[in-house]
Amino acid sequence: MADPDRALGGYDPGAGRNVHAVGQPRLIPVPSLLRALLSQHVDPGYAAAAARRGSGAPPSVRTRILGWLWQAAAALLVATVFAVAVAQARSTAPGVRAEQQVLRQSVRSVETAIDELAGHRAALSAQVDDIQRRALADDAEGQRLLASLDRLNLAAASTRVTGPGLAVTVTDPTAGPNLSDVSKQRLPGSRQVILDRDVQLVVNSLWASGAEAISVGGVRMGPNATIRQAGGAMLVDNNPVSSPYTILAVGPPHAMRDAFERSPGYQRLRLLEASYGVGVSVSTDDGLVLPPAAIRDIKFAKQIGPQ
């Protein structure tokens, strides 16, 4: 049996050595990290500290009483901090509720003012359009100019459009009024399944299927309109829309439906329906009404293509 101080790393220098043999080579113990990891499960420092603790005398009554007093003081301090925090929260709660009420009223008043201004703008736009048509409808050149303006207004989504088309309704099974930040991952139990990229794919598929004008949630899709997601809110041209998402597309209804049912957007909707229980409805309508898009002032322009 080798001395403990010579058994470095669990290696016994006398292992396998014949003590009766004479002239045998002397074995030099070689430490092994692997043997140390397998045999020495406790760090030597921890073992020495445990040995000192075990060999020492038990703490005195005074030491135990001091330890209990320190623990009681710490518990009292923690309880005091929590009590002060609760008192402050209760004292500020009425003020917070009042501020929230003021903010809600301010938001409602601003929304009402925006709706009134939008209606006034639509009325003025209709008057301008009527004046233009009366002034230009007298000769052939004016009629050609009106036809060109109609095509440009349709491309810019600046006029109201009425006609037959396709109505696509997508319902999120977990939609709710809470618009707090959520991850953009489809996980079981998440609060949102329909994402912005799904709506974008459906809109692009409708354009490719022959749509002449499209609106999402009552918001007209124009050249500058975007569909994006900010937390749990779906924003269409910076206007929040919620489930069910209604996508209207004006165009030849039957031909557009046949093309749309073969498109990637429709396949994505059916996959979401089978995987997450999303509600999908596709129907034709002969009297769709699409509002005009928001008009933005153009400050910079660059010509593309030959002059």
Side-chain angles (χ1 to χ4, degrees):
M1 183 79 180
D3 296 336
D5 57 344
R6 296 183 61 197
L8 301 178
Y11 175 76
D12 186 1
R17 181 176 183 180
N18 188 357
V19 296
H20 301 289
V22 180
Q24 294 292 333
R26 181 178 180 82
L27 298 180
I28 301 175
V30 179
S32 173
L33 177 60
L34 181 59
R35 292 193 183 96
L37 292 176
L38 294 176
S39 60
Q40 299 177 4
H41 303 293
V42 180
D43 186 87
Y46 287 105
R52 287 194 303 269
R53 191 183 304 111
S55 61
S60 62
V61 177
R62 181 180 179 183
T63 303
R64 289 198 298 269
I65 293 176
L66 289 177
W68 294 339
L69 290 177
W70 279 111
Q71 292 176 3
L76 180 61
L77 179 61
V78 172
T80 303
V81 171
F82 275 103
V84 171
V86 171
Q88 290 181 350
R90 290 180 177 177
S91 63
T92 58
V96 172
R97 285 194 294 268
E99 292 179 359
Q100 291 176 349
Q101 184 66 23
V102 171
L103 289 176
R104 282 195 292 266
Q105 294 177 356
S106 177
V107 169
R108 292 193 186 99
S109 62
V110 171
E111 289 178 347
T112 302
I114 290 175
D115 293 338
E116 292 177 354
L117 292 175
H120 185 59
R121 183 196 63 188
L124 293 178
S125 299
Q127 292 179 7
V128 171
D129 184 69
D130 184 61
I131 294 172
Q132 287 179 347
R133 290 187 178 280
R134 286 203 305 266
L136 297 176
D138 295 335
D139 55 3
E141 184 64 25
Q143 293 177 0
R144 286 194 297 270
L145 183 58
L146 282 176
S148 178
L149 286 175
D150 290 339
R151 290 193 299 270
L152 293 176
N153 288 331
L154 180 62
S158 59
T159 57
R160 182 170 176 265
V161 175
T162 303
L166 207 61
V168 180
T169 304
V170 185
T171 305
D172 195 334
T174 59
N178 189 358
L179 299 181
S180 60
D181 193 17
V182 295
S183 175
K184 297 180 67 174
Q185 300 288 335
R186 293 192 183 94
L187 297 177
S190 63
R191 287 172 289 183
Q192 194 166 18
V193 174
I194 302 299
L195 304 181
D196 49 3
R197 56 178 177 263
D198 304 318
V199 181
Q200 293 171 4
L201 183 59
V202 172
V203 170
N204 291 334
S205 298
L206 287 172
W207 285 123
S209 300
E212 300 175 3
I214 297 177
S215 68
V216 178
V219 181
R220 182 75 173 276
M221 298 303 300
N224 297 322
T226 59
I227 301 174
R228 63 186 183 89
Q229 196 170 0
M234 187 77 69
L235 302 179
V236 180
D237 199 16
N238 291 328
N239 295 287
V241 297
S242 59
S243 176
Y245 305 104
T246 303
I247 305 172
L248 304 179
V250 172
H254 299 290
M256 189 164 53
R257 180 168 186 169
D258 294 338
F260 178 68
E261 289 180 350
R262 299 189 301 268
S263 66
Y266 184 80
Q267 295 174 6
R268 173 76 66 83
L269 292 181
R270 290 307 179 190
L271 178 61
L272 294 177
E273 181 182 27
S275 302
Y276 301 97
V278 172
V280 179
S281 174
V282 180
S283 61
T284 59
D285 196 327
D286 294 332
L288 297 179
V289 178
L290 275 62
I295 300 175
R296 295 180 175 85
D297 295 333
I298 299 176
K299 298 181 179 180
F300 302 96
K302 179 180 180 181
Q303 182 173 351
I304 300 176
Q307 297 183 357

